[in-house]
Amino acid sequence: MYSPSINKLIDALKKLPSVGQHTAQRYVFHWLKSGKVEVNELKNALDSLLKNIKSCEICWNFSDFNPCEICANKNRNKNQICVVDEAQAVAALEKTGAYTGFYHVLRGTIDASDENGIENLKIHELLQRVKTNQEIQEIILALNPDMLGETTMLYLEKQIKQLQPQIKITRLARGLPMGSDLQYSDEITLGSALKNRFSN
Ligand SMILES: [Zn+2]
């Protein structure tokens, strides 16, 4: 019912999380009405994302640089790696100012219903770091306190202990409500969860 160009953009938008047909239509007609300046702003932002953003091949965060600014920073604590599910969690933890070690972004959690789950995550890459980096003394498992986060943390704990039993494995304090999303926690709660981390 719409012209092909409109449908094409609606279909592309529908691939975004929580965007259905109606929301996609609303966005497209918003742009059609708002005019070229606003559409160009979006186009330029997407172009710049495509052109500049890379995966850091050490921690798997997204960055304009590879290695990213955090991995390249020689002043950070080489003895700690904080494991998170998504890149946004790195930003949330950095905002607390309570952590000076390095990170590892898994890019998801283990989902037992998804057969290829583990292969798609950066778990192999984490275990390689654990195997080859003798400076690591502590690994902080900072995944969300929900079912998938718990499953993933248990799996990682087992694997890391097998490889390097001397590494201390800790988790964020239980100050974070069960089922909460770490990246949306406020800095104070997250900072204190980090400070009061514990090991099993
Ligand atoms: Zn990095």
Side-chain angles (χ1 to χ4, degrees):
M1 65 187 160
Y2 296 125
S3 69
S5 306
I6 292 177
N7 277 330
K8 200 168 146 188
L9 185 52
I10 290 176
D11 288 342
L13 287 168
K14 274 161 64 182
K15 291 181 183 155
L16 297 172
S18 3
V19 176
Q21 177 74 22
H22 288 290
T23 309
Q25 272 169 225
R26 230 173 51 229
Y27 288 161
V28 173
F29 285 94
H30 168 82
W31 285 317
L32 288 173
K33 282 191 288 182
S34 69
K36 290 196 174 156
V37 174
E38 205 173 305
V39 175
N40 263 317
E41 253 174 42
L42 183 75
K43 182 180 172 286
N44 292 339
L46 287 172
D47 278 347
S48 154
L49 199 73
L50 271 180
K51 200 172 130 227
N52 299 320
I53 291 289
K54 306 163 185 69
S55 289
C56 170
E57 285 172 28
I58 299 174
C59 72
W60 300 95
N61 198 356
F62 296 106
S63 169
D64 282 2
F65 309 98
N66 175 30
C68 71
E69 294 104 315
I70 294 175
C71 288
N73 184 343
K74 293 198 165 52
N75 296 320
R76 296 192 72 111
N77 184 349
K78 291 182 180 65
N79 306 137
Q80 292 176 320
I81 291 184
C82 180
V83 180
V84 295
D85 54 357
E86 301 292 349
Q88 299 96 304
V90 172
L93 287 159
E94 282 297 283
K95 238 172 98 185
T96 67
Y99 181 68
T100 56
F102 293 95
Y103 292 95
H104 192 91
V105 183
L106 295 175
R107 302 225 176 141
T109 43
I110 296 174
D111 186 349
S113 63
D114 178 4
E115 273 178 29
N116 304 315
I118 293 183
E119 279 69 48
N120 291 334
L121 303 174
K122 299 295 177 190
I123 289 180
H124 173 73
E125 289 79 356
L126 172 65
L127 298 177
Q128 273 307 112
R129 281 177 90 179
V130 168
K131 230 188 271 182
T132 55
N133 184 343
Q134 301 305 320
E135 289 174 312
I136 304 170
Q137 289 173 9
E138 180 183 1
I139 293 187
I140 304 164
L141 300 175
L143 276 70
N144 292 329
D146 55 20
M147 263 277 287
L148 297 178
E150 285 296 329
T151 309
T152 310
M153 288 193 279
L154 279 174
Y155 178 82
L156 292 178
E157 202 165 338
K158 213 173 120 192
Q159 300 289 321
I160 295 164
K161 273 193 177 141
Q162 264 174 22
L163 282 174
Q164 305 282 12
Q166 79 288 359
I167 292 180
K168 190 174 163 194
I169 300 172
T170 56
R171 294 191 184 200
L172 297 184
R174 299 199 199 276
L176 295 172
M178 184 72 189
S180 71
D181 201 327
L182 196 140
Q183 49 181 288
Y184 302 121
S185 301
D186 67 275
E187 291 128 75
I188 296 163
T189 312
L190 196 52
S192 90
L194 195 55
K195 212 174 112 201
N196 299 311
R197 64 187 183 273
F198 65 97
S199 59
N200 281 334

